[in-house]
Amino acid sequence: MDQHIAESIGRPDLIRLDDRLVCLRFETMKVVSALAAVRHLLDAGVVRRGDTLLDSSSGIYAYALALACHRYGMRCHIVGSTTVDHTLRTQLSVLGATLEQMEPCSDLKLDQKRRVERIHEILAERPEYHWMRQYHDDIHYLGYRAIADRVREATGADGLTVVGGVGSGASTGALARYLRAADGGTGDRPDGRPADVELVGVQPYGSVTFGAEHVSDPEIIIAGIGSSIPFGNVSHELYDTLHWISFDAALAGSVDLLRRHAVFAGLSTGAGYLAARHEHERSPGRTVLFIAADTGHRYVDTVYARHREAAPIADLAPRDVTDRTQLALPWSRMRWSRARA
């Protein structure tokens, strides 16, 4: 029996959608990393119950950290993006978290920059606060060890392709590391050969993480899977392939995923689903698992209400490129080959 709702929320479902196509579905994925990170800090004596944990968030991590603080008797202070909606603001308030939300801004890069500046101002005023640094501290990898173990048990983790939005780098990076090492991340397999696990990252246009800042999406940048500033938690050398997917293509993927498989998930999942289907078609002998990081409730008006606009996914295919100067909307794919940043 779970001791707190956060533990239940962080436990994903594994759903086989098709032969060798699997969805790793979370209600709120970042609860996994927030719970493990806070528990690690408490165990290491870095923080104590009652301390205040501080971070910046565009939305999902704010909720995850608030739940982790509620679970472990901590205080929570969030500097939130302009994208934090009324529902989340209300949840954070009831959970006892303090939210400072940035003023409306159409420039997400400026929004992110202002949030980081405000974090530093708060730390100067309240040096006893602990900055969680979700984008840069690899303690956010820890929670995914148990998820990797579950995936390994269900799929065998050999001849496996993992697909997911890159974002802060923690979820896809951690899963790849733990799955490639058969003993759960402490070393290679007994025969000395690392597990055959490929990692496919999904990015929005405009993200600096893998060098697509020169291509803008006329709709929006898909929140949570890209960045306007470099993230320390992204280990570029873990990724085999990258897909850059536009809002319109991701919308089509989200709608098709709900219509075809009844999986109601966020916009980043629609992008991951498109990339996963393509990788599955290219390598039908491999098991392809894609991450569904959250539910679709935040996207009812911006995505699902527009379902009649969605292009048939059979009409969509990526443009294969060999250099980032060739990137073009609505969908591009490039072998990254585990290169460094």
Side-chain angles (χ1 to χ4, degrees):
M1 184 181 296
D2 294 321
Q3 301 301 308
H4 192 274
I5 185 65
E7 293 157 4
S8 175
I9 290 173
R11 187 181 303 110
D13 303 307
L14 275 164
I15 307 165
R16 188 173 299 281
L17 304 185
D18 205 341
D19 182 41
R20 296 186 178 272
L21 180 63
V22 179
C23 177
L24 181 65
R25 178 197 174 274
F26 292 85
E27 182 175 338
T28 302
M29 182 181 69
K30 289 196 174 183
V31 171
V32 173
S33 55
L35 276 177
V38 173
R39 186 168 57 247
H40 174 80
L41 291 171
L42 285 166
D43 291 345
V46 177
V47 299
R48 297 177 296 177
R49 289 180 184 270
D51 285 355
T52 298
L53 304 183
L54 169 71
D55 216 340
S56 162
S57 173
S58 60
I60 294 176
Y61 186 78
Y63 179 52
L65 185 60
L67 285 173
C69 287
H70 190 278
R71 168 70 176 87
Y72 290 111
M74 316 290 289
R75 300 179 187 277
C76 180
H77 192 123
I78 298 292
V79 178
S81 169
T82 62
T83 59
V84 175
D85 61 20
H86 172 71
T87 300
L88 180 55
R89 288 197 302 269
T90 303
Q91 287 176 293
L92 293 175
S93 178
V94 174
L95 285 168
T98 298
L99 172 66
E100 292 187 40
Q101 189 169 9
M102 295 290 100
E103 293 296 319
C105 175
S106 59
D107 186 338
L108 291 181
K109 183 173 184 178
L110 178 59
D111 174 73
Q112 205 162 34
K113 180 175 180 289
R114 290 191 306 181
R115 281 188 278 139
V116 172
E117 289 173 349
R118 179 57 187 149
I119 289 286
H120 287 291
E121 291 173 358
I122 293 170
L123 288 172
E125 299 163 4
R126 306 299 299 266
E128 72 275 15
Y129 283 12
H130 181 83
W131 183 14
M132 292 297 293
R133 302 176 76 245
Q134 65 148 323
Y135 303 131
H136 306 294
D137 192 332
D138 65 4
I139 62 171
H140 291 91
Y141 275 49
L142 298 175
Y144 294 101
R145 183 190 295 269
I147 308 299
D149 289 343
R150 187 167 174 206
V151 169
R152 180 184 298 107
E153 182 180 347
T155 69
D158 214 9
L160 175 68
T161 299
V162 175
V163 181
V166 177
S168 70
S171 59
T172 49
L175 286 174
R177 283 184 178 173
Y178 293 138
L179 287 167
R180 285 171 180 164
D183 57 3
T186 59
D188 290 339
R189 298 188 300 184
D191 62 5
R193 183 172 60 88
D196 176 14
V197 177
E198 294 220 338
L199 181 59
V200 177
V202 180
Q203 285 273 275
Y205 291 95
S207 173
V208 306
T209 308
F210 285 89
E213 61 270 25
H214 61 290
V215 183
S216 60
D217 191 325
E219 281 275 4
I220 63 169
I221 293 177
I222 304 171
I225 66 171
S227 176
S228 61
I229 60 175
F231 287 165
N233 269 344
V234 177
S235 297
H236 294 73
E237 66 276 10
L238 294 174
Y239 295 84
D240 296 282
T241 303
L242 270 297
H243 287 251
W244 289 266
I245 295 178
S246 71
F247 172 88
D248 287 339
L251 182 151
S254 298
V255 170
D256 189 86
L257 181 60
L258 178 57
R259 180 177 289 138
R260 190 186 304 258
H261 299 290
V263 176
F264 182 51
L267 190 60
S268 66
T269 303
Y273 170 64
L274 276 187
R277 283 178 57 92
H278 181 76
E279 295 300 324
H280 182 248
E281 290 167 2
R282 291 179 70 104
S283 303
R286 298 182 66 84
T287 297
V288 179
L289 176 143
F290 69 96
I291 299 170
D294 61 352
T295 67
H297 295 88
R298 294 196 305 154
Y299 302 93
V300 170
D301 293 330
T302 56
V303 174
Y304 289 100
R306 299 172 57 180
H307 64 92
R308 292 182 180 84
E309 302 173 27
I313 62 169
D315 295 347
L316 298 173
R319 175 186 183 184
D320 279 300
V321 302
T322 56
D323 187 273
R324 283 165 290 179
T325 61
Q326 301 169 340
L327 294 177
L329 297 165
W331 183 2
S332 298
R333 177 186 184 274
M334 188 175 85
R335 286 292 297 174
W336 186 260
S337 302
R338 305 190 189 185
R340 294 192 176 275

